[in-house]
Amino acid sequence: MSELADEYRLEYFEEEGFVRKECPECGNHFWTRDEDRVTCGEPPCEEYDFIDDPGFDQAYSLAEMREVFLSFFEDHDHERIDPYPVAANRWRDDVLLTQASIYDFQPLVTSGETPPPANPLTVSQPCIRMQDIDNVGKTGRHTMAFEMMAHHAFNTREETDEEYAYEGEVYWKSHTVELCDELLESMGADITEVTYIEDPWVGGGNAGPAIEVIYKGLELATLVFMCMEQDPDGEYELKDGNTYSFMDTYIVDTGYGLERWTWMSQGTATVYEAIYPEMIDFLKDNAGIDHTEAEAELVGRAARLSGNLDIDDVDDVEAARGDIADKLGVSVEELRDLVEPLEDIYAIADHCRTLAYMLGDGIVPSNVGTGYLARMVLRRTKRLCDTVGVDAPLDELVDMQAARLDYANRDTIRDIVRTEVEKYRETLERGGRRVESLAEEYAEKGEPIPTDELIELYDSHGIQPDMVEEIAAEAGADVDVPDDFYSLVAQRQETPDAGAETADDEADERFEDLPETEKLYYDDQQRTQFEAVVLDVFEREDGYDIVLDQTMFYPEGGGQPADTGILSTDDATVDVVDVQIQDGVICHRTDDRLGKGEFVNGQVDGGRRRQLMRHHTATHIVIHAAREHFGEHVRQAGAQKGVDSSRIDFSHYDRVTREDVKAIEARANEIVMENTAVTQEWPDRHDAEADHGFDLYQGGIPPGEQIRLIHVDEDVQACGGTHVARTGEIGTIKILNAERVQDGVERITFAAGAAAIEATQTKEDALYDAAATLDVSPEEVPETAARFFEEWKDRGKQIEELKEQLASARAGGGGSGEEVEIDETTAVIDRIDSDMDELRATATAIAEEGSVAVLGSGQGGAQFVVAVPDGSAVNAGDVVGELAAKVGGGGGGPPDFAQGGGPNVEDLDDALEDAPDVLRQVLDA
RNA sequence: GGGCUCGUAGAUCAGUGGUAGAUCGCUUCCUUCGCAAGGAAGAGGCCCUGGGUUCAAAUCCCAGCGAGUCCA
C-alpha cells in the first residue's frame, strides 16, 4: 500500500494546508485541515456525531438531495446524464445487477473503445447490492437499494500512441478532491472536520489510489482514481496480492451515497427514517406498532448506541444487543421485542424499493438470473410482512416506492407482484402439506425429522427450515436444524467436475495483419452478386478459409445463420459453405482453394438469403407485437433465425396462451400488410440511447461510436442483420408454437413467407388425414374425436364387465378345465388363450368358488395365473415359480394370487399337464 | 447455465415389480319442515408421452413434455 503513498500528495492538499496523519487506532493514513486531529474519524476509531445534530445547514429529502448534487456538478461544467437500468446484464455479461455508477461505463468506455455519453459527467445511479440483504434494517445504515451519485471524468495519457475514443485529460485527483470539498462547504459542512483517508482500491482487474471522505463519523463518499490494470509484470503489488501497472486511460470514479447525504442532513436515528419516512409511518401504522413515549425514547437511544458501535453486519448486531440492553438498563428480551418489529419494517421498505427498481427496469421474476434475485427479494419481503403483521397487499407497498421513483409501468409492476405473491402462496401451501404429512409420520415414529429431509424440503421445495419447525411443532414432531444447514445444501449442489474448458484456437499471425473486410451486404441488402479480390487463403481441416477485400456474404451473427453461395474466377468455382467474422475480418469457408490476388465473382444463394431476411425482419415484428400485447417488460432473451422457421425467446411473467398467440399473430400480420419501409441508420450511439433507451439492445450491445439501427414500424433495434426493404416482402407470418423455456422466459416459434405456407400446409395435412380416418369433415374432427374417445372408454368398461361375467360363468362349471383333487381341495387346471386381465378375473372367480385355480394362456408368450382360496395351504407363488420355469421364465406374487410366464409357448401344455404334480409337490414341501 | 423434486379420480395425495387405492368433492337414495350434518349405494383413471429392461412396469432405466425449487 505504501507504494502508492506518493499518489496522494495532491496539489490541492498542499494549497489548502492539509496535513497527512496516521490514525493511532487503525493505522490508516489520512489528510485533514485540523492539525490537532488524532484519529481518522471513521468508526470504530470514532463515533457518529450527527444523530440529532445534522451536519448540513438544512434537511433535505432524497429527491431534493439528488437535485442539489446533480445541479452542483452541472454548475461545475459536468453534463447530467440519465441513470442506467439496475439490470446490468443488459449491457455486460459479467454481472447481474448494477452495483456502482462506474458499472455504466464498463467495459467499453473504461477500456477506451467507446466514448462516454459526456465528459465529464454526473449521474445518480440506482444500485442494488444483494450481499447486504441480511444487514438491511438491522445495522441502521445498510440498504440493499441505493443511489450512487457520482461524477466521472475519462482521461487518456498524452504520451500514448494508441487510439482511444476520448483524448487528453479532463481533470484528475486534485480537482476531484477540490470539488468534493467545495460541495461539502456549500452544504454548510464544517470542512475542518472532514478527513480524507488513503484507501487504495482494487477490483475487477483494475486498481488505483482512492480516498474515503469521512464527516462526523459517516463515510459520505469514496473518490476512486482508476488508473492501473492487473499485469503480471507490473511493478506495484496491491492488497489482493496481484501486481499492477499503469494504463493509458485513467478515470475519475466517485461515489456519493445519496441516502447517506440525506441522512446526514436530517440526523435521524437511522438512515431509513431519513429516506422514506412516509413509508415507514405507513408500515408502522399498518402493523399496529404504536410506541409509548417512553418506548419511543428507548428505541431512539438504542439506535444511537448501535450506530456508534462497530457494526458491519447482522452478526455484530446480535452480539451487541446485550451490551446495548445493559447500557439502557433493560433486559435483552425487552429490547428485542421492541426493536425487532422496527427492523423488519425498515427492511420491508428497503426491499420494496429494491423491487420497484428491479421490476420498474423490466426484470421479470424467474428461476434464473436477475429474475431469480427479484423472486428471492419478493419472497423475503412477503415473509417479513407476515412476520411483523403488515397486511397491506405487497403490490401496493411496491407501488408506493415505484410511485416515488416515478416509474411509468406501475400497472405491470403491480401485476407482476400479484402473480408472484400468488405463486409463492401456492408454493407455501404445497410445502405446508408436505411438511405436515412428514411431521405426522415422524411424530408417530417418535423420531425427529432427519436433516436430509430438511435439506430436500428446502432445496427441492423451497421451504425454509424455520417454517418446517413451526409446522412440525403443531404435529408434535421435533426438528433438529444443524448449524451448517446452508453449507449442507451447498454440498448437495456440488457436481462432479464441470470438465475442462475448450482451448482457444491459437492466434494466426497472418490473420491478424489482414484489414477489416468491407461489408457490402449493408449497402444494398437486396443484391446477391459482387466482385472482389482474394487477399489470403488459409488451409483448414475440412476446407479453406478465403478472405476477400469486400464481400456480400453475411457472416453468422445476431442469431442469423451465414449465407452460402459460390465464388468463381475465370477458371474455377468454389462453394461457400459457411461464413464467419473475427475482428472485422470475414472468412469464407470453401470446399476448394483459390489463388491469392485473384479476382473473383461472388454469388450469394439468393433464395436462402431472402428467406433469412424475411425471418430476421419478422423476428423484429413478432417481438414488437408481443411487446404491444403484453407490455414493456417483454424483452428479447435470445433468438435464432432459420430458413424454415425461426424462434424468439422473450421475458414474460405468465404463460403465453392460445389467445395471446392469435393476438400477436394478427398484429404481426397487420404490420406485414401495411407494407411499411424497413430502414437502417448509423447514428452516434449516445444519441441513439438518448432517443430510444436501452431497449435498443435486445440482441446484445455492439461496440463502437456509431451503431446500426433498424426501424420496422415503430420498432427500433440495434441490429447487425440483413432485412427486407418493406414489410410486405415477408408475405405472411405464422406462429407455429409457444412454449416456456424457463420460468419467466417464453419461446415463440414462427415461420415467414413460403415457410409459413409450408408449415400451415403440413399442419392442415395432419388435420385432413385425421378427418379422413374418422370419415368426417375437418371441422367435425374435434367433436368426433371426443365422441370416439368417450365411446372407446365405454367399451373398455363394457369389456371388463363382460370378462368378469365370463370368468364367473367359467368358475361356475361352464369351463372346460380339468378338475383334480389335491389334498382336501379341488384344483381347476385350464388353458384359456386370452389376455392377463381375463386370466386373472377367471382365477379370482374360481378361487371364490373355493377351488385352487391354475390357468395358462398362450397369448403373448406363455402366461400363468394361480389363485388360491382362503384357508388353502397351497402357496400360489411357489406353484407359478415351478410352472414358469418350465416355459423358460419366472414369476411370483403373494401366496394367494400369483402370476408368471415365459417365452416358450410350445411347452405350455406340458407344463399344465404337470400342474397336479407341482401342486402336490408344493404342498408336501 | 447447473443441481434436485414431482406428474396416479374433479381436488389433495398414498401406492418401490405381481388384481389401481384413500380423503374431500360429485350423483342417487334414506333420515329432516328445511338447513348443517349423518347413514347407504354409485359414478368417476390411456397411472403425462415415447422408447428400453422384464414372464410381468403406475413402480426400474433413458429421452421428451409439463410443473416446482435451490444455486451461480
Side-chain angles (χ1 to χ4, degrees):
Chain A
M1 267 175 237
S2 55
E3 291 230 45
L4 286 176
D6 286 346
E7 293 288 319
Y8 294 99
R9 305 202 171 277
L10 307 184
E11 265 170 52
Y12 182 73
F13 284 151
E14 207 160 300
E15 284 164 14
E16 292 288 309
F18 276 80
V19 286
R20 183 175 191 249
K21 291 184 168 251
E22 182 174 350
C23 177
E25 302 281 332
C26 62
N28 284 336
H29 290 94
F30 64 94
W31 294 80
T32 172
R33 282 188 168 87
D34 180 2
E35 287 190 26
D36 300 328
R37 182 163 196 106
V38 181
T39 71
C40 65
E42 186 181 25
C45 307
E46 215 155 313
E47 300 181 340
Y48 284 173
D49 198 20
F50 65 97
I51 308 290
D52 290 337
D53 181 19
F56 298 151
D57 278 347
Q58 52 166 305
Y60 296 91
S61 71
L62 213 54
E64 288 164 351
M65 181 57 78
R66 185 193 295 128
E67 186 50 40
V68 165
F69 178 90
L70 292 172
S71 47
F72 173 87
F73 281 95
E74 271 182 327
D75 292 346
H76 290 76
D77 301 324
H78 290 68
E79 190 174 321
R80 182 196 299 220
I81 66 159
D82 286 333
Y84 282 45
V86 289
N89 61 342
R90 299 258 168 84
W91 68 90
R92 50 194 293 191
D93 51 18
D94 56 335
V95 290
L96 294 176
L97 295 169
T98 309
Q99 299 203 14
S101 59
I102 193 70
Y103 277 41
D104 300 355
F105 313 110
Q106 289 169 319
L108 292 176
V109 179
T110 50
S111 68
E113 271 179 75
T114 299
N119 197 9
L121 59 84
T122 182
V123 65
S124 185
Q125 176 59 47
C127 298
I128 294 173
R129 291 198 180 166
M130 294 292 292
Q131 54 268 41
D132 284 333
I133 193 166
D134 288 320
N135 300 332
V136 176
K138 311 228 177 224
T139 63
R141 64 163 176 264
H142 281 98
T143 60
M144 183 159 52
F146 62 95
E147 282 184 39
M148 182 180 282
M149 303 187 294
H151 60 103
H152 295 280
F154 302 88
N155 311 298
T156 52
R157 296 194 191 286
E158 306 274 335
E159 61 271 26
T160 179
D161 303 329
E162 302 276 329
E163 291 258 330
Y164 291 102
Y166 39 90
E167 265 177 36
E169 178 171 302
V170 182
Y171 60 81
W172 190 227
K173 294 177 282 191
S174 229
H175 187 56
T176 302
V177 175
E178 185 183 350
L179 284 167
C180 181
D181 234 26
E182 219 177 289
L183 172 65
L184 280 164
E185 196 167 20
S186 75
M187 313 279 313
D190 177 358
I191 55 169
T192 56
E193 275 192 54
V194 177
T195 52
Y196 292 93
I197 303 177
E198 298 177 7
D199 179 33
W201 166 87
V202 176
N206 291 109
I211 291 172
E212 283 180 12
V213 183
I214 311 292
Y215 178 52
K216 286 179 171 282
L218 189 63
E219 183 187 341
L220 282 180
T222 305
L223 314 174
V224 176
F225 304 101
M226 186 196 285
C227 58
M228 307 172 96
E229 62 189 344
Q230 208 173 317
D231 175 1
D233 307 322
E235 53 182 313
Y236 296 93
E237 186 180 333
L238 300 184
K239 58 185 171 186
D240 67 343
N242 292 311
T243 52
Y244 289 81
S245 60
F246 286 99
M247 302 186 288
D248 286 346
T249 58
Y250 55 110
I251 294 159
V252 174
D253 169 23
T254 63
Y256 291 71
L258 169 62
E259 291 70 21
R260 294 200 171 182
W261 283 67
T262 307
W263 187 20
M264 175 62 73
S265 82
Q266 295 186 23
T268 49
T270 67
V271 69
Y272 318 109
E273 279 137 336
I275 59 181
Y276 18 68
E278 69 295 336
M279 180 137 187
I280 302 285
D281 286 345
F282 176 88
L283 289 168
K284 271 193 199 164
D285 191 48
N286 191 276
I289 296 175
D290 193 12
H291 289 150
T292 62
E293 259 180 52
E295 281 171 341
E297 204 265 323
L298 195 66
V299 168
R301 275 165 58 208
R304 232 154 299 152
L305 278 172
S306 46
N308 283 345
L309 290 168
D310 175 22
I311 287 172
D312 264 336
D313 63 43
V314 60
D315 295 337
D316 300 333
V317 173
E318 289 304 320
R321 190 98 77 194
D323 284 349
I324 294 173
D326 272 355
K327 283 188 190 154
L328 294 174
V330 295
S331 71
V332 179
E333 290 73 26
E334 209 175 322
L335 182 67
R336 181 171 296 139
D337 288 348
L338 210 52
V339 171
E340 260 181 6
L342 278 178
E343 293 177 344
D344 289 347
I345 276 177
Y346 297 149
I348 291 169
D350 167 79
H351 292 4
C352 285
R353 184 171 170 218
T354 307
L355 287 169
Y357 278 133
M358 286 179 145
L359 305 179
D361 278 346
I363 293 177
V364 173
S366 160
N367 61 333
V368 292
T370 50
Y372 178 64
L373 300 179
R375 172 167 291 170
M376 238 178 70
V377 173
L378 189 141
R379 294 190 170 187
R380 197 187 171 95
T381 313
K382 180 72 184 129
R383 276 202 299 280
L384 284 169
C385 285
D386 291 345
T387 308
V388 77
V390 169
D391 62 1
L394 192 57
D395 60 289
E396 192 180 317
L397 300 181
V398 175
D399 188 56
M400 286 172 74
Q401 293 284 22
R404 285 167 46 97
L405 298 169
D406 229 12
Y407 279 108
N409 53 345
R410 283 166 55 195
D411 287 341
T412 305
I413 296 177
R414 294 189 72 146
D415 206 23
I416 292 175
V417 173
R418 274 193 296 266
T419 307
E420 270 299 303
V421 167
E422 176 57 22
K423 276 191 188 176
Y424 187 44
R425 197 190 58 74
E426 279 168 23
T427 294
L428 289 185
E429 207 178 274
R430 230 188 336 264
R433 281 193 301 262
R434 208 180 179 89
V435 177
E436 261 172 54
S437 69
L438 209 60
E440 275 165 32
E441 184 188 325
Y442 282 97
E444 215 163 285
K445 280 197 256 181
E447 294 171 15
I449 296 178
T451 307
D452 52 342
E453 294 278 11
L454 282 182
I455 292 175
E456 183 168 321
L457 280 171
Y458 176 71
D459 192 27
S460 302
H461 305 287
I463 305 158
Q464 253 75 13
D466 53 347
M467 185 177 154
V468 178
E469 265 177 325
E470 215 171 282
I471 298 170
E474 283 170 31
D478 286 333
V479 180
D480 198 15
V481 184
D483 292 334
D484 57 348
F485 180 76
Y486 288 95
S487 65
L488 288 174
V489 174
Q491 237 172 54
R492 182 178 144 116
Q493 299 265 354
E494 268 172 31
T495 40
D497 253 38
E501 285 184 22
T502 49
D504 281 353
D505 291 346
E506 36 184 291
D508 210 313
E509 275 179 38
R510 245 163 71 211
F511 189 85
E512 280 175 12
D513 291 338
L514 289 168
E516 290 196 8
T517 312
E518 198 180 326
K519 298 163 185 158
L520 300 175
Y521 47 81
Y522 286 146
D523 297 343
D524 181 355
Q525 299 176 55
Q526 318 307 320
R527 249 179 67 194
T528 56
Q529 194 270 331
F530 68 101
E531 284 167 359
V533 178
V534 177
L535 295 186
D536 210 338
V537 179
F538 299 87
E539 190 167 352
R540 302 295 185 202
E541 253 175 55
D542 53 346
Y544 301 87
D545 274 344
I546 296 181
V547 177
L548 306 173
D549 63 335
Q550 56 179 10
T551 186
M552 197 59 85
F553 281 89
Y554 182 84
E556 182 179 354
Q560 182 176 333
D563 283 334
T564 59
I566 51 171
L567 295 175
S568 46
T569 62
D570 288 343
D571 42 25
T573 297
V574 298
D575 285 333
V576 176
V577 294
D578 190 20
V579 186
Q580 296 290 329
I581 184 165
Q582 197 183 330
D583 299 325
V585 179
I586 295 172
C587 294
H588 304 73
R589 177 64 53 92
T590 59
D591 60 340
D592 207 346
R593 63 179 309 141
L594 289 174
K596 210 165 151 178
E598 279 190 280
F599 284 92
V600 294
N601 206 306
Q603 177 65 51
V604 174
D605 179 341
R608 175 188 160 89
R609 160 68 89 75
R610 266 192 300 281
Q611 197 54 26
L612 288 172
M613 287 180 0
R614 285 196 185 99
H615 272 127
H616 203 140
T617 309
T619 302
H620 288 220
I621 293 175
V622 170
I623 191 85
H624 181 68
R627 269 173 89 90
E628 273 187 10
H629 180 70
F630 291 122
E632 295 284 299
H633 62 281
V634 167
R635 184 165 280 103
Q636 183 177 320
Q640 183 60 52
K641 290 91 188 173
V643 176
D644 299 327
S645 73
S646 295
R647 58 183 164 77
I648 177 148
D649 300 345
F650 59 89
S651 52
H652 180 51
Y653 52 89
D654 212 348
R655 293 307 310 266
V656 175
T657 65
R658 180 71 193 142
E659 276 59 44
D660 294 329
V661 166
K662 283 187 196 166
I664 293 167
E665 193 172 77
R667 177 65 188 126
N669 280 292
E670 248 174 57
I671 297 173
V672 171
M673 286 182 281
E674 279 160 18
N675 195 24
T676 53
V678 178
T679 56
Q680 59 169 330
E681 57 165 336
W682 293 86
D684 179 89
R685 67 183 306 124
H686 298 298
D687 293 341
E689 280 170 20
D691 288 348
H692 308 290
F694 273 87
D695 290 341
L696 279 179
Y697 301 130
Q698 305 219 1
I701 298 208
E705 298 185 27
Q706 265 88 41
I707 56 174
R708 179 169 181 261
L709 294 190
I710 295 293
H711 296 254
V712 186
D713 196 58
E714 280 158 25
D715 181 71
V716 188
Q717 284 187 41
C719 177
T722 56
H723 289 268
V724 298
R726 303 192 77 89
T727 56
E729 288 172 43
I730 293 168
T732 181
I733 295 173
K734 180 74 199 140
I735 294 181
L736 305 178
N737 188 34
E739 60 188 324
R740 194 194 78 142
V741 280
Q742 283 164 6
D743 204 7
V745 180
E746 298 287 321
R747 168 172 298 171
I748 282 182
T749 309
F750 62 92
I757 302 298
E758 266 169 52
T760 309
Q761 286 170 346
T762 307
K763 214 161 250 183
E764 278 177 343
D765 285 346
L767 179 61
Y768 289 147
D769 286 351
T773 307
L774 296 174
D775 199 19
V776 296
S777 68
E779 288 73 23
E780 288 171 300
V781 165
E783 200 190 321
T784 310
R787 185 163 58 82
F788 274 32
F789 187 61
E790 284 305 315
E791 281 177 14
W792 173 77
K793 285 201 286 190
D794 282 346
R795 270 179 214 188
K797 276 175 229 162
Q798 259 180 45
I799 290 169
E800 208 168 305
E801 216 166 290
L802 288 172
K803 273 182 190 167
E804 252 160 61
Q805 282 176 22
L806 183 62
S808 50
R810 277 205 194 102
S816 58
E818 174 194 2
E819 294 197 5
V820 199
E821 290 303 317
I822 308 290
D823 207 12
E824 306 276 287
T825 49
T826 315
V828 178
I829 298 164
D830 199 0
R831 173 168 172 164
I832 307 166
D833 280 332
S834 60
D835 62 27
M836 264 322 235
D837 279 342
E838 205 174 320
L839 228 56
R840 275 197 294 256
T842 309
T844 308
I846 291 170
E848 270 165 14
E849 298 282 317
S851 305
V852 173
V854 179
L855 304 179
S857 164
Q859 212 178 71
Q863 312 238 49
F864 299 101
V865 173
V866 174
V868 171
D870 286 345
S872 168
V874 176
N875 184 318
D878 293 346
V879 177
V880 163
E882 288 288 330
L883 292 176
K886 292 177 194 295
V887 291
D896 63 329
F897 191 93
Q899 305 157 57
N904 311 328
V905 186
E906 65 277 11
D907 296 330
L908 178 62
D909 286 327
D910 291 345
L912 284 172
E913 245 166 66
D914 292 345
D917 293 338
V918 172
L919 284 169
R920 288 190 194 95
Q921 200 185 316
V922 164
L923 258 185
D924 291 344

